[in-house]
Amino acid sequence: VDASIGGKNGVNHNGFKNIIGTFCLPEFVRINTAFLETLPVRELRNGISELLKTFIIGNRAAYSEAVTEFGHSENISGISWVQYISMAAGIKSQIVENDFRDGGERKKLNLGHSFGHAIERCAAAENVDISHGEAVSMGIVIAARLSEKMGIASSGTAGRIEKDFASCGLVTKPAFGMEMLQDALRNDKKRNGDSLDFVFIRDIGDVSVRKIRLEDIRL
Ligand code: GLY
């Protein structure tokens, strides 16, 4: 859904996510949905979190369709995974083709990840079991709330995303308080000085990367 596409190979170091790495494309990527049948539901939900992230970035209709299917599916393994994974791969490939080295548009793919990584850092420090997909779904909800608060998204956008995510079984309530998360953001090695590139949601299917000062992040 995400990491297999775009040739980013990162490793964690000293408690920081993907802080060292290379850009190197694979010869091919295979989508093998039979493999998904071997995964526990929690892992499938991690995938759903990244799928919905990609649709919020670039395809409103796919987002609505996916939420309807994931939210109403009695059995998560009965979902038409190939269709959604291919759509997400297409959106991501397009973005990566325009900005392979991550200088601009590719940063959109970090939607939910500033707070997501902060949540993962807090979870590691507090010994709490939170998966990457769970941290990302919480991070997207925070990004949506911040976008709404700053007048970038229209009123109701965050509420809709929160409701949709919950209906798909995703975690939406931030696991840590804002003060703790802000401290973790301050320790984010990828930020520039007092500000960071943050992915705001303008609408479902439309995001924008803007610099925000840490002190202006208030919810
Ligand atoms: N996972 C984000 C990217 O590949 O840029």
Side-chain angles (χ1 to χ4, degrees):
V1 167
D2 182 60
S4 63
I5 300 142
K8 258 192 197 176
N9 310 287
V11 293
N12 304 341
H13 180 63
N14 256 351
F16 293 96
K17 293 273 295 181
N18 301 335
I19 197 79
I20 303 170
T22 63
F23 289 95
C24 181
L25 284 169
E27 281 174 25
F28 64 90
V29 174
R30 173 176 292 168
I31 300 173
N32 177 359
T33 53
F35 169 72
L36 299 181
E37 285 159 30
T38 69
L39 294 177
V41 167
R42 187 177 184 197
E43 289 298 346
L44 294 176
R45 292 205 167 116
N46 288 333
I48 291 178
S49 174
E50 293 277 2
L51 270 177
L52 294 183
K53 176 204 82 172
T54 308
F55 296 151
I56 292 174
I57 293 167
N59 191 329
R60 186 183 172 85
Y63 173 85
S64 302
E65 208 181 299
V67 166
T68 306
E69 180 153 359
F70 300 154
H72 289 101
S73 192
E74 292 292 304
N75 183 353
I76 208 165
S77 62
I79 285 169
S80 6
W81 290 106
V82 167
Q83 179 196 335
Y84 294 111
I85 294 171
S86 308
M87 277 198 277
I91 295 167
K92 180 159 180 184
S93 302
Q94 183 84 54
I95 292 173
V96 169
E97 270 168 33
N98 292 338
D99 177 25
F100 182 53
R101 292 272 165 185
D102 211 1
E105 192 185 349
R106 187 166 181 166
K107 291 184 197 294
K108 286 181 178 177
L109 295 164
N110 291 334
L111 172 63
H113 282 62
S114 294
F115 276 102
H117 287 164
I119 288 166
E120 287 182 293
R121 274 199 294 282
C122 294
E126 301 285 310
N127 221 359
V128 181
D129 177 23
I130 295 178
S131 66
H132 181 64
E134 288 161 354
V136 167
S137 60
M138 294 179 219
I140 294 172
V141 169
I142 299 174
R145 286 191 201 147
L146 191 61
S147 304
E148 210 179 290
K149 181 136 197 267
M150 294 181 68
I152 296 167
S154 57
S155 159
T157 308
R160 173 178 172 191
I161 290 174
E162 204 169 334
K163 196 162 138 266
D164 289 344
F165 277 23
S167 78
C168 297
L170 305 188
V171 187
T172 57
K173 197 173 162 342
F176 303 97
M178 213 14 96
E179 222 165 277
M180 201 167 161
L181 292 179
Q182 267 167 333
D183 277 347
L185 278 182
R186 240 170 255 125
N187 290 327
D188 187 337
K189 281 227 166 88
K190 288 183 189 160
R191 73 183 162 79
N192 305 315
D194 288 337
S195 62
L196 85 162
D197 290 321
F198 194 86
V199 189
F200 290 96
I201 298 171
R202 277 199 288 240
D203 201 350
I204 291 170
D206 180 17
V207 300
S208 110
V209 182
R210 303 184 191 185
K211 284 212 182 303
I212 183 166
R213 289 185 317 175
L214 287 173
E215 64 198 61
D216 293 335
I217 299 183
R218 272 189 232 106
L219 276 166

